[in-house]
Amino acid sequence: MVELKTDTSIDAMYAAGQVVGRALTAVREAATVGVSLLELDEVAREVLREAGATSPFLGYRPSFAPTPFPAVICTSVNDAIVHGIPTGYRLRDGDLLSVDCGAELDGWVGDSAISFVVGRPRRADLRLIETAERALAAGIEAAVVGNRIGDIAHAIGTVCRKAGYGIMDGFGGHGIGRRMHEDPSVPNEGRPGRGLPLRKGMVLAIEPMLIAGGRDDYHAAPDGWTLRTTDGSHAAHAEHTVAITETGPRILTARR
């Protein structure tokens, strides 16, 4: 069942989303060569603590996971697409890092992700990240009353495929509100004019996940959480929590 949020609830979700935005900004600023992924997780934890927020990631255990997630951010490096667990790995020059973060504040959840290069970037990685951000922007632009879920999916997929990238098979965005994952699912590829109609008060986490090698398949790492590209190519992930309003999409996790 899809829950429609009131304007007051959306404002509360915006507050949670701003905590996420601050955490991602702090992590990006701290992510320099030689810094460990565990140290970045602590940076995000401190932002959440200062805001009086908790993490919907920490302790989360969906049906596929062998263990509860042990951190407040996902840190996916190079060929890791999503769900990377922070470890003692220290960032190297040229690493492509995707960071996914959530925050729960006063019972409402925000969820967002960014990708960037640490140190000196490769042109191919910059193009991959820029395309992920354009795909996200296209999906957000389609998130308007009167459209359907398929319009968001088609907008994202068109950008990704035109650039020659793969789209992670079986994963996409989702509804969000009191819980991190709510109905409906939001695929990253689909047919326009199909699927659930978009209504005022729906709040969606829209999140394209791109694979540089052009293939859609992936495999799970031994930790049971991290999902990696099958061909070893790099991946990028971009995400915002977006409310559908009468005046257009409102990005609740916008970073200042």
Side-chain angles (χ1 to χ4, degrees):
M1 184 179 72
V2 176
E3 178 191 359
L4 300 179
K5 279 72 176 179
T6 65
D7 292 344
T8 300
S9 297
I10 290 172
D11 285 342
M13 291 190 70
Y14 176 81
Q18 292 308 288
V19 177
V20 176
R22 292 198 298 274
L24 288 174
T25 297
V27 167
R28 182 166 188 165
E29 290 174 351
T32 56
V33 174
V35 171
S36 76
L37 302 179
L38 281 172
E39 288 169 337
L40 295 182
D41 185 67
E42 183 54 41
V43 168
R45 287 176 188 249
E46 181 59 26
V47 173
L48 267 60
R49 279 195 292 265
E50 290 180 354
T54 58
S55 171
F57 289 17
L58 185 63
Y60 182 59
R61 188 178 184 181
S63 58
F64 67 81
T67 58
F69 196 76
V72 305
I73 56 173
C74 299
T75 50
S76 304
V77 181
N78 295 330
D79 66 325
I81 311 168
V82 289
H83 302 165
I85 296 176
T87 65
Y89 175 83
R90 295 193 175 276
L91 293 167
R92 301 172 183 173
D93 188 40
D95 276 345
L96 194 168
L97 176 62
S98 296
V99 182
D100 194 353
C101 182
E104 182 174 346
L105 184 67
D106 297 328
W108 295 99
V109 179
D111 187 9
S112 185
I114 57 173
S115 295
F116 56 91
V117 177
V118 177
R120 293 169 294 182
R122 299 191 312 162
R123 183 175 298 177
D125 285 342
L126 293 179
R127 177 175 177 267
L128 177 66
I129 293 167
E130 187 270 336
T131 305
E133 292 172 347
R134 281 197 296 113
L136 174 59
I140 293 171
E141 186 177 359
V144 296
V145 174
N147 273 357
R148 292 176 177 264
I149 290 290
D151 294 303
I152 298 175
H154 178 72
I156 293 170
T158 297
V159 173
C160 298
R161 296 300 188 191
K162 186 175 182 180
Y165 296 129
I167 298 171
M168 191 181 185
D169 189 28
F171 279 80
H174 49 89
I176 185 170
R178 291 287 187 181
R179 293 176 291 113
M180 182 166 59
H181 291 122
E182 297 183 352
D183 291 333
S185 61
V186 186
N188 286 327
E189 191 167 31
R191 298 177 63 182
R194 299 294 183 92
L196 188 72
L198 303 179
R199 299 172 58 190
K200 175 184 180 294
M202 292 175 66
V203 182
L204 308 173
I206 300 173
E207 51 177 325
M209 307 163 202
L210 280 61
I211 298 174
R215 297 174 58 176
D216 298 349
D217 51 338
Y218 59 90
H219 67 276
D223 62 26
W225 273 101
T226 308
L227 301 179
R228 298 186 178 277
T229 63
T230 298
D231 60 9
S233 65
H234 285 188
H237 179 200
E239 178 184 17
H240 271 309
T241 296
V242 180
I244 297 173
T245 77
E246 291 177 338
T247 57
R250 180 184 179 189
I251 301 174
L252 305 182
T253 47
R255 294 176 291 277
R256 298 177 181 176

